[in-house]
Amino acid sequence: DAKTTQPTSMDCAEGRAANLPCNHSTISGNEYVYWYRQIHSQGPQYIIHGLKNNETNEMASLIITEDRKSSTLILPHATLRDTAVYYCIVRLTGFQKLVFGTGTRLLVSP
Amino acid sequence: GAVVSQHPSWVICKSGTSVKIECRSLDFQATTMFWYRQFPKQSLMLMATSNEGSKATYEQGVEKDKFLINHASLTLSTLTVTSAHPEDSSFYICSAGEGVEKLFFGSGTQLSVL
């Protein structure tokens, strides 16, 4: 699986949009981009995933660049409960193993 | 979304004893489950892939005789930490996939070996 690069930490004010970047310059054509988050002392929570097109669900939006070498996870209105470590992972289609990097520690403050 | 149940949430044991952790997929069948461990302030490290009805596949550096995995049914995988020692103290997390796209995680088990 391709490796990803994320900033170690980010801050965001409550109510503002949180934009979390991820670089995956060696991604191959059949690899998806997945985002998970882990709140302290809990198992990771699935957020969203995509292949080429931008995706949106009730939790977040995923913007993937046209060359697929980077992506951005957007939390439109961050709350204090969104404070967590966010992991960007690329993974082969149909192959379920997820390999976690170091992630971005997002701190949402009042 | 799909639910993966993990039990127990935490366990304290004496050095030299064995500990079993259960992972269940509650509303779907999972032919494959995954076991991870996580040390404080570190990322999740994949330990092994659990396959229903066959032997588990272990990642490099993970002792298969130390971490016994059994996947006897399509909804249950167990991880047994044998002869546990303090260095085995960690947060253990299982996951299972509903279909080929989404992978869901249990809530984790905090193991403390005294």
Side-chain angles (χ1 to χ4, degrees), chain A residues 32 34 36 38 41-46 49 87 91-103 105, chain B residues 32 34 36 38 41-44 46 49 59 91 93 96-108:
Chain A
Y32 282 79
Y34 281 79
Y36 282 80
Q38 186 179 25
S41 298
Q42 297 182 23
Q45 177 188 22
Y46 167 83
H49 74 286
Y87 295 98
R91 160 176 171 261
L92 286 170
T93 308
F95 186 56
Q96 298 184 52
K97 183 166 68 174
L98 286 172
V99 179
F100 286 79
T102 54
R105 188 172 298 274
Chain B
T32 303
F34 301 90
Y36 294 80
Q38 185 177 31
K41 299 188 184 302
Q42 295 187 20
S43 186
L44 285 79
L46 180 66
T49 301
E59 296 297 306
F91 191 53
I93 310 167
E98 182 184 34
V100 297
E101 291 202 0
K102 294 183 183 179
L103 202 61
F104 296 96
F105 288 79
S107 55

Side-chain angles (χ1 to χ4, degrees), chain B residues 31-92:
Chain B
T31 56
T32 303
M33 293 185 177
F34 301 90
W35 288 95
Y36 294 80
R37 66 187 296 180
Q38 185 177 31
F39 292 108
K41 299 188 184 302
Q42 295 187 20
S43 186
L44 285 79
M45 183 192 80
L46 180 66
M47 299 175 66
T49 301
S50 170
N51 303 299
E52 189 268 335
S54 64
K55 291 183 179 180
T57 303
Y58 291 82
E59 296 297 306
Q60 190 174 8
V62 178
E63 300 175 59
K64 62 179 181 180
D65 295 329
K66 173 77 171 175
F67 300 100
L68 299 180
I69 291 173
N70 183 282
H71 194 154
S73 77
L74 289 172
T75 59
L76 174 64
S77 175
T78 60
L79 168 69
T80 301
V81 182
T82 63
S83 186
H85 291 285
E87 57 267 30
D88 298 322
S89 297
S90 186
F91 191 53
Y92 292 87

